[in-house]
Amino acid sequence: MPDLLTDLRDAVGGEHVLTDAADVAAYATDWRGAYGGTPLAVVRPASTAEVAAVARLAHAAGVAIVPQGGNTGMCGGAVPSGDGTQIVLSLGRMRSIRDVDAAGGTITVEAGVVLADVQAAATAVDRLFPLSLGSEGSCTIGGNIATNAGGTAVLRYGMMRNLVLGLEVVLPDGRVWDGLRSLRKDNTGYDLTQLFIGAEGTLGIVTCAVLVLHPATPARATAWVALPSVSAAAALLPVLREYAAERLTTWELVSRAALDLVVDQGLQDPLASDAEWFGLIELAGPSGAPVDDDLERALGAAVGAGLVLDAAVAGSPAQRAGLWAMRERVSEAQESLGPTIKHDVSVPITSLSSLVDRLAPALEHALPGVRPVIFGHVGDGNLHYNLSRPADLSGDDFVTHTAALSAIVHDCTVELGGSISAEHGLGSGKAAAAAAYKSDVEVDLMRAIKRAIDPDGLLNPGKVLPLQ
Ligand code: FAD
Ligand code: 2HG
Ligand code: ZN
């Protein structure tokens, strides 16, 4: 493709079209090394006009584009195929915060802005951008929108789709849709903004977004609790809500196996408890909100009802950070056991304990010694039911069991009325499985939308929907 590469260099500048193996390596493989390929080139445009020019050129040449933000995704959505035919389009140079409107409660940011930078810009004007993920230091707003990211404050603020008012999107043929509106009400037909959210770069390339800012919540109260069971974790949610109402922002679960992993990494166990289940609770509110009292009363009621065995309440910002680390470091700590087979499932919260009770024996039967490392967003009914290899099995041998083990987890989840991807999306890794669980009608509708917007199938092919 010498002509295309020349044209791309003319469009974005020669130094921003990477083709050397060493230069493209970081863009070719995901952060875990679980998914990867070989790009034709990595192109790094700096503006919406440059993104549009790249899309036009690729469209004319019949070359596919894979949008990429921070490359922290879990399902291989941001990496190219292995045949050297696809362009990775990195939004990493589009890092401008175009506008902050504290009075109107909005912030307008380009797609490559890192989530933590948006949070900091909101804090600087005494507001809150509430999306909160363990990867917030490197994931981007474009990636958060494309995956409809969740995280640890969904209970109070919803998922990313609840935090987006307007979008600017480059379409597969290079046209630009300017939907950068900051309206709270707009019933003028199909909601295109929501269509692009969660589409994982298969319908358009997000270049800019208007996001919602919330009031700042400087008052925070945080506890780490030991629990008798998963059903107690589920039963605790209405108790916490009764005492904290909308001040409850976080209710997260950590299993014993997950706790042991972070303790092995040098973190200090906040409770010397031999319980099998633990949790992180956070309440937040405006300055002066009685979050400490609310938390104390909620924990008192929970202990009285036998739902909490023991609790440690953070007495300082450092202690709070220590409690949060027990939850946020699990994902990274599990990598120390070798390759992880990840599952990101959700079920109605009242079915969580059935899910856990059914899966343990079924997985042990399928692969004796397999180690579940379970954690996640229990308040949202969302568990990361991750698996590590049996001690006597190599990582390479372990991953050959992926299809069989994932089928057990996913079948059980679907039987309980759940979803096989709660917050991470489908990428290439789960596209076929999701299609198999959906009805023909649902898959037909999804394919019709894809064909209408990307008739040549040039935007992130094979992601979300399997290739036909
Ligand atoms: P990428 O990985 O680069 O891309 C993800 C998908 O979005 C790909 O399909 C890509 O093609 C598409 N895409 C990226 N940018 C654009 C764009 N501008 N336009 C169109 N498509 C685009 N996720 C959660 O939901 N909740 C969590 O709690 C959470 N915790 C995490 C913790 C850790 C330690 C890690 C490593 C990851 C975690 N994630 C979590 C997953 C991940 O961080 C999110 O999916 C995040 O939203 C991805 O952002 P990114 O910029 O890295 O996107
Ligand atoms: C989290 O909640 C992330 O920590 C990562 O969604 C989950 O590593 C995982 O499977
Ligand atoms: Zn998560």
Side-chain angles (χ1 to χ4, degrees):
M1 294 277 165
D3 293 346
L4 175 62
L5 292 179
T6 304
D7 291 343
L8 289 170
R9 289 188 180 104
D10 288 346
V12 303
E15 70 273 38
H16 302 303
V17 178
L18 314 178
T19 50
D20 287 353
D23 294 338
V24 304
Y27 302 86
T29 308
D30 78 323
W31 66 278
R32 291 195 293 143
Y35 301 94
T38 311
L40 173 66
V42 174
V43 186
R44 294 171 41 82
S47 65
T48 303
E50 287 189 5
V51 174
V54 173
R56 263 194 313 275
L57 291 167
H59 185 253
V63 167
I65 290 179
V66 180
Q68 189 178 100
N71 200 11
T72 67
M74 296 285 184
C75 305
V79 293
S81 59
D83 56 9
T85 63
Q86 302 182 336
I87 291 173
V88 171
L89 189 155
S90 166
L91 281 299
R93 290 176 67 220
M94 291 195 62
R95 291 204 173 196
S96 155
I97 296 182
R98 292 191 191 168
D99 182 52
V100 186
D101 178 358
T106 63
I107 184 167
T108 305
V109 302
E110 291 186 346
V113 178
V114 168
L115 172 55
D117 293 341
V118 178
Q119 296 167 338
T123 304
V125 295
D126 197 25
R127 294 290 183 273
L128 173 75
F129 183 66
L131 190 77
S132 180
L133 316 178
S135 55
E136 61 202 21
S138 43
C139 66
T140 63
I141 287 301
N144 301 151
I145 290 169
T147 58
N148 184 28
T152 52
V154 171
L155 260 186
R156 166 71 181 83
Y157 298 101
M159 310 253 310
M160 188 62 176
R161 68 169 72 255
N162 300 106
L163 300 170
V164 179
L165 294 176
L167 289 180
E168 178 185 78
V169 181
V170 172
L171 300 176
D173 58 8
R175 285 178 298 157
V176 180
W177 174 53
D178 181 352
L180 279 180
R181 299 162 193 146
S182 55
L183 303 174
R184 312 278 164 163
K185 300 182 91 170
D186 177 12
N187 270 353
T188 54
Y190 302 136
D191 193 333
L192 299 180
T193 303
Q194 291 295 328
L195 183 60
F196 288 107
I197 300 172
E200 300 183 51
T202 61
L203 300 179
I205 304 161
V206 175
T207 47
C208 192
V210 183
L211 308 175
V212 177
L213 297 180
H214 283 267
T217 54
R220 288 166 76 191
T222 312
W224 178 258
V225 294
L227 304 159
S229 62
V230 175
S231 56
L236 191 52
L237 181 63
V239 177
L240 295 172
R241 283 217 159 112
E242 185 185 335
Y243 288 89
E246 82 287 350
R247 288 195 280 271
L248 176 67
T249 52
T250 298
W251 176 212
E252 299 279 312
L253 188 71
V254 174
S255 63
R256 170 101 247 160
L259 173 77
D260 288 346
L261 281 173
V262 291
V263 170
D264 284 351
Q265 300 289 309
L267 270 65
Q268 199 182 341
D269 185 350
L271 295 169
S273 164
D274 58 5
E276 286 299 313
W277 297 97
F278 300 86
L280 179 77
I281 300 166
E282 189 158 280
L283 276 52
S287 187
V291 286
D292 295 316
D293 290 351
D294 290 346
L295 181 61
E296 195 182 316
R297 289 188 312 125
L299 289 176
V303 170
L307 300 175
V308 163
L309 301 172
D310 201 359
V313 176
S316 67
Q319 284 179 6
R320 173 171 300 119
L323 299 187
W324 268 96
M326 302 306 293
R327 163 63 184 88
E328 291 212 305
R329 295 277 294 276
V330 176
S331 183
E332 179 193 332
Q334 193 177 4
E335 297 300 303
S336 67
L337 296 180
T340 305
I341 300 178
K342 287 186 179 287
H343 305 103
D344 165 36
V345 298
S346 62
V347 291
I349 188 165
T350 45
S351 298
L352 277 175
S353 65
S354 301
L355 182 76
V356 171
D357 289 350
R358 287 193 210 176
L359 285 179
L363 292 164
E364 174 63 23
H365 180 72
L367 183 63
V370 66
R371 285 176 282 181
V373 176
I374 306 167
F375 59 103
H377 317 285
V378 64
D380 311 325
N382 174 194
L383 290 186
H384 300 305
Y385 199 109
N386 291 349
L387 301 174
S388 287
R389 65 185 168 82
D392 56 356
L393 197 65
S394 75
D396 286 348
D397 286 342
F398 176 54
V399 295
T400 66
H401 295 266
T402 302
L405 296 173
S406 293
I408 292 170
V409 177
H410 290 160
D411 284 353
C412 186
T413 299
V414 172
E415 276 164 33
L416 290 167
S419 165
I420 69 160
S421 177
E423 60 170 8
H424 293 161
L426 300 173
S428 55
K430 293 183 187 161
Y437 288 112
K438 286 179 186 289
S439 69
D440 291 348
V441 173
E442 195 167 344
V443 175
D444 283 353
L445 284 171
M446 287 174 64
R447 286 205 185 280
I449 291 168
K450 171 73 174 169
R451 268 196 307 275
I453 298 177
D454 182 19
D456 303 309
L458 293 179
L459 217 45
N460 225 356
K463 316 292 169 55
V464 178
L465 282 163
L467 293 172
Q468 278 178 312

